[in-house]
Amino acid sequence: MEEKPYVSVLVPVLNEEESLPELNARLIKVLNEMGKPYEIIYINDGSTDNTPIILERFHNENKNIKVIEFNRNYGQHMALFGGFEYAKGDIIITIDADLQNPPEEIPKLVKKMEEGYEVVGTYRKDRKDSIFRTIPSYIVNKITARLVGVRLRDYGCMLRAYRSDIVEYMKMCPESSSFIPALANTFAKKIAEIEVSHEERKKGRTKYSPIKLLQLNFDLMTNFSLLPIQFIGMVGVGIAGLGILFALYLFVRRLLIGPESEGLFTLFAILFFFIGIQILALGIIGEYVGRIYQEVRRRPRYIIKRELL
Ligand code: UDP
Ligand code: MG
């Protein structure tokens, strides 16, 4: 019988043929040095390059390496959900395939977990990404910390460790899109965050287009609370109140000064403001309705085409 792994490392992969050989070699080296039974699970998230061939070779070379393959691209977080279904370790680690987070940091994570934490996150020391990534991510971190109620410095860094029961709880969440670090923190009580180094992406390109990044952030906001919609509601009430006050003010002026017509353009400005708010509100309602629709359709979240176990 196979030995039960102590550590499961999950790697979501989308077109990473250039990074994979180095990643795999470094992962195996680090995990062997730790001296505990391990498994590496690669989730091929619909790659169109040589990734499947490379992954199959890894699997043939090392019995600790498992590969699951989606029929198409479902996104990094869905890939990790797919991996959760197969992970048998006590400690489950997620890591990107692009070597931006060095695999050599894994023992540090494991050591921290062994102190009794349920989730260990990481934050990136001197993050090596463009400001188009770091500024949005700063804002998202602040918002997420609010929504989830757990203050972490870096929700975006996907080198993280979870205890297997936390993963079990996450598997019970059937929503069609989710943001794993935030989800984990809604279940965990003992959470730590350690510093890890970060490198530039050496090979291949980022798999997140601006649109995909925006979608991910919407997932985060609307999945974890009703706060955005409630906030809009409150703004609506506030604006209506201001509108009444303003009407009163105009009425008093009319009595004191008499008719005025120069105010026309001010009115336009106000009108545009209202229209803007209305469209925004509509957009947010649409976002929720869209999500409800996705949930009630009950489509499978992903389809696994092939597994090499
Ligand atoms: N990834 C994935 N599916 C996607 C997008 C990304 O499996 O739809 C993987 C990708 O191969 C990498 C990790 O998720 O292993 C992080 O992606 P990337 O490095 O492009 O993101 P960034 O570092 O730019 O945030
Ligand atoms: Mg990256």
Side-chain angles (χ1 to χ4, degrees), residues 11-16 43 45 73-76 79 95-98 100 127 129 133 201 205-208 212:
V11 194
V13 190
L14 173 63
N15 296 335
E16 304 279 4
I43 306 100
D45 185 19
N73 177 251
Y74 291 89
Q76 180 182 8
I95 187 170
D96 286 354
D98 59 358
Q100 284 196 277
R127 183 166 173 192
D129 278 320
R133 297 303 301 273
R201 203 185 226 283
R205 297 193 8 237
T206 176
K207 303 302 178 298
Y208 279 102
K212 226 166 154 181

Side-chain angles (χ1 to χ4, degrees), residues 21 52 55 132 144 151 178 192 199 219 258 262 273:
L55 291 180
F132 296 105
T144 314
R151 206 166 293 283
S178 203
E199 277 156 35
D219 280 354
E262 288 88 345
F273 179 67

Side-chain angles (χ1 to χ4, degrees), residues 27-59:
L27 270 178
I28 291 174
K29 180 160 180 288
V30 169
L31 291 166
N32 274 331
E33 278 167 8
M34 283 201 337
K36 298 255 174 67
Y38 68 87
E39 63 180 354
I40 303 173
I41 304 177
Y42 289 100
I43 306 100
N44 176 2
D45 185 19
S47 301
T48 49
D49 62 358
N50 279 322
T51 294
I53 297 159
I54 298 171
L55 291 180
E56 185 167 354
R57 201 184 72 220
F58 292 168
H59 169 74

